Amino acid sequence: MSEPYAESGTESYASRAAALDATDELAKLRAQFVLDDTVYLDGNSLGALPRSVPGRIEDVVRRQWGSLRIRSWDESGWWTAPERIGDRIAPLVGAAPGQIVVGDSTSVNVFKAVVGAVRLAGGGGGQGGGARGEARDEILVDATTFPTDGYIAASAARLTGCTLRPVAPDEVPDALSGRTAAVLLNHVDYRTGRLHDLPSLTAAIHEAGAVSVWDLCHSAGALPVGLDEHGVDLAVGCTYKYLNGGPGSPAYLYVRRDHQPRFDSPLPGWNSHADPFGMTPDHVPADGALRGRVGTPDILSMLALEAALEVWDDVSIEAVRTKSLALTDFFLECVEAYVPAGAVESVTPADHGERGSQVALRCADAGEVMRRLIARGVIGDFREPDILRFGFTPLYVGFADVERAAGVLGGLF
Ligand SMILES: Cc1ncc(COP(=O)(O)O)c(C=O)c1O
């Protein structure tokens, strides 16, 4: 039997694609998604719809809500959904159960995590920080971050009496000092697709006595993360990209088990109370990951996500990573073959150790080029000022899609 995704000599790219698809152990999963004859390379923005979701939503709305009504909080497992679905995401990001809760947007979870991190570090000069005058008064933030993380980190810094310092991820080890309270980094850069070195950066952050917060939006569901293995302190991520949870599906918050007793959420709503129905005036935080909850969960979105995650039942994240790298390698190779020299330039690292599951191509007039690609059935997206972004979701993208996308792109020049 041939090795999966092995090089196969000098055949045409189309026949190589067919051979790669024929030996792809994940190819059968595509049937679990609603897709058409376009090439969908935008799963790093909004994952495709899993076939299990519409029926589940129908049941949640008609039976659980329409018929059981309030009883569903217990009988349909609505109340415990944030922890239950967190435990379903946990193996995909290398976390043992009991450390992830689902709910709120990524932005809100970034806020909880960054303020929580400063408090864990005993840092900050103001409310909620350590003793006034304590040295840990700096938050480092990925200077190339998706904007929401930067905006929220700036507000978290103001609230905790810290200074915010934007730093490129590679420069974080040199920027760390005894003043650093928390560091917020992206695992994969949303524009370039660059994968940052989570194990070594986390180790450096710990060596400086600071607390790490990782944004996993562009890595969860695309590659192994190893949260527990690498001792990550806090992490957040969305579920509408590689986890296919649907537009606006709730995000999640990971709080490492040994930090949980000291995790002091800046949004202590009644859902994170030890006795939520005790209705007491003071907040007594619940034990465990539940501390990350805030208010009433968004049940419709959350249970759509739970159905979407069933796709992963027999899928290993390692197999997904192997295919992801094969897809992006093959795309880069086809682009080189089909697109006239100099028309595009990849800003995604060639090195597998530094590549997420997307390819970003710099190109003149990229907005117009993407519009024409979409009109020809190849769906990626455009990021300012000059980036064509293509995301590769190994659960439903095949090698023939990749070859076709590169061919259509080449035809535009
Ligand atoms: C890295 C990263 N963080 C955060 C977000 C957005 O967060 P929210 O779910 O709050 O819209 C995105 C959205 O694409 C993202 O790519």
Side-chain angles (χ1 to χ4, degrees), residues 136-206:
R136 291 198 183 272
D137 61 356
E138 198 168 71
I139 298 172
L140 304 186
V141 64
D142 181 343
T144 56
T145 191
F146 185 85
T148 206
D149 298 44
Y151 306 151
I152 301 267
S155 176
R158 285 200 303 278
L159 279 166
T160 56
C162 285
T163 307
L164 185 70
R165 199 170 145 206
V167 180
D170 289 353
E171 288 160 19
V172 162
D174 289 336
L176 289 162
S177 74
R179 285 186 58 186
T180 316
V183 184
L184 171 61
L185 292 169
N186 290 275
H187 196 193
V188 172
D189 183 295
Y190 79 103
R191 290 180 76 250
T192 62
R194 180 184 208 100
L195 171 66
H196 296 300
D197 188 346
L198 177 145
S200 81
L201 289 167
T202 303
I205 293 164
H206 289 164

Side-chain angles (χ1 to χ4, degrees), residues 212-248:
S212 60
V213 181
W214 285 92
D215 181 330
L216 309 179
C217 282
H218 287 271
S219 59
L223 52 98
V225 178
L227 289 178
D228 287 352
E229 181 187 351
H230 304 301
V232 166
D233 301 282
L234 301 165
V236 302
C238 71
T239 61
Y240 45 74
K241 301 182 192 289
Y242 296 103
L243 298 178
N244 311 302

Side-chain angles (χ1 to χ4, degrees), residues 60-127:
V60 172
V61 171
R62 291 197 186 281
R63 186 182 62 83
Q64 298 184 16
W65 178 16
S67 173
L68 295 175
R69 290 178 288 270
I70 196 87
R71 288 164 55 190
S72 274
W73 283 106
D74 289 327
E75 292 178 23
S76 305
W78 287 0
W79 185 262
T80 51
E83 307 81 88
R84 181 177 72 245
I85 303 170
D87 282 348
R88 184 64 197 86
I89 292 171
L92 301 177
V93 291
Q99 300 175 103
I100 296 182
V101 281
V102 174
D104 311 310
S105 63
T106 314
S107 306
V108 171
N109 283 298
V110 167
F111 179 73
K112 295 178 213 169
V114 175
V115 175
V118 172
R119 291 174 176 179
L120 281 171
Q127 242 191 342

